[in-house]
Amino acid sequence: MEKSEVRSYFPYLKNGKIYMNHAAISPLSSLVVQRVNEFLLERSETNIENYLTVIDTTTKLKGKLGALLNTDPDRLAFVDNTSNGLNILAQGMNWKAGDRIILNDIEFPSNVYPFLNLKPLGVEIDFVKSKDGIVSAEDVIAMIKPSTRLISISQVQFLTGYKVDLEQIGQVCSEKGIVFSVDGIQGVGAVPIDVQKCKIDFLAGGTQKWLMSLMGLAYIYVSEELQEQISPKYVGWTSVEDTWNLLNYDLKLRKSADCFQNGTTSSIGVTAFNASLDLFYMYGFDNVEKDILDNSEYFIKQLDSIGLSPILLGVPREFLSGIVSFRCNNPKTFYETLNSNGVECALREGIVRLSPHYYNTIEEIDTVIDILKKHKHN
């Protein structure tokens, strides 16, 4: 599939809009909209109790997601958002006073509050201090203490787009018996992640950003070894092995990650996500990564050429993602100028954040650069 064909699936492009805010929320492709409409038609007119259809779709979806993350589908569960996914980990472990957790000072709050909430149990939090918007694997590893029990970090930092070396951290965690948790919401769908190679114990992410699906559906990956250490604090009728023996009341939890799916999953979210992944697979995830990184490298170079030095200027390609951010005087005016000229982006913590996806073009980036250049010289 050529990029021009992919772009035909995004009807908003006909309106002349340039959308570069995928780190916040993605537009829905016409393929996703079609599948969702088919689902709604079933639920409203034809196969109203479409439970078996949903089960089939969920099974296929876990297979696709498992292939993307390099894990068995049994290690995956669906939840409603990334925060609740991370709370499964935070609340499920057997903590003792003096245990330590390593976070960092530029994490999105979803990957902070579930662990700060453990402080009444005597758990201590160590924050790695970022340097020029970067928290490197070396910085994280240097913070490890004998009592460090868990490290949690985003694969891609939401403000700067820096992609940390997960494999380096994972190797050290494996050697030291530290649980390694990753927030994948800004990475999965844009850049590769291999939970086996990186020795990740727990991963959580939503589907509405780089994976281009609906809000209200997220996923977790739990290694088999870690699951044996977690006691689910919330269980329900779908958590148990004999789910459909409704009056048996035998609290025998499933051995798969399905035990963390304690009730009805968002059927419409599953339907949309399955369709979204189909489009990714049609184009090829290798092509997705290449196009995203090519866009980011080009964007960084062009921003620098007009005197708006991006935060990750000079950072090697291996640490880039789909997010390109820059600091400037009066960032709100730059942000407002872009939006008034049909460019959707984000303003976060005084930083202008642009996040084009694989289907965005060099020509669109050039248009953004021209707008920024004119504004800078006004």
Side-chain angles (χ1 to χ4, degrees), residues 128-189:
V128 178
K129 186 170 178 53
S130 57
K131 303 168 185 173
D132 299 321
I134 292 173
V135 175
S136 70
E138 291 82 3
D139 295 332
V140 173
I141 292 167
M143 183 67 77
I144 293 175
K145 296 176 172 64
S147 54
T148 298
R149 185 97 183 276
L150 180 146
I151 293 173
S152 194
I153 191 169
S154 292
Q155 180 193 18
V156 172
Q157 292 299 325
F158 82 104
L159 281 176
T160 67
Y162 181 81
K163 179 167 74 73
V164 72
D165 187 342
L166 295 178
E167 190 174 354
Q168 187 177 353
I169 300 173
Q171 182 61 42
V172 173
C173 285
S174 178
E175 292 170 357
K176 295 181 177 291
I178 297 169
V179 173
F180 186 29
S181 167
V182 175
D183 180 343
I185 198 168
Q186 294 292 2
V188 180

Side-chain angles (χ1 to χ4, degrees), residues 297-342:
E297 283 192 319
Y298 181 78
F299 218 152
I300 288 169
K301 180 180 177 182
Q302 295 307 308
L303 284 168
D304 183 47
S305 73
I306 62 171
L308 288 173
S309 296
I311 294 171
L312 298 185
L313 180 64
V315 170
R317 182 181 175 99
E318 64 188 290
F319 300 117
L320 299 180
S321 66
I323 296 173
V324 175
S325 300
F326 65 89
R327 291 189 178 95
C328 57
N329 294 325
N330 301 315
K332 187 178 180 182
T333 64
F334 280 86
Y335 165 75
E336 290 173 344
T337 296
L338 287 170
N339 272 267
S340 65
N341 282 275

Side-chain angles (χ1 to χ4, degrees), residues 203-222:
L203 174 80
T207 64
Q208 74 273 24
K209 299 181 187 291
W210 298 96
L211 288 167
M212 310 196 76
S213 190
L214 294 176
M215 292 182 287
L217 184 74
Y219 58 89
I220 60 171
Y221 156 79
V222 190

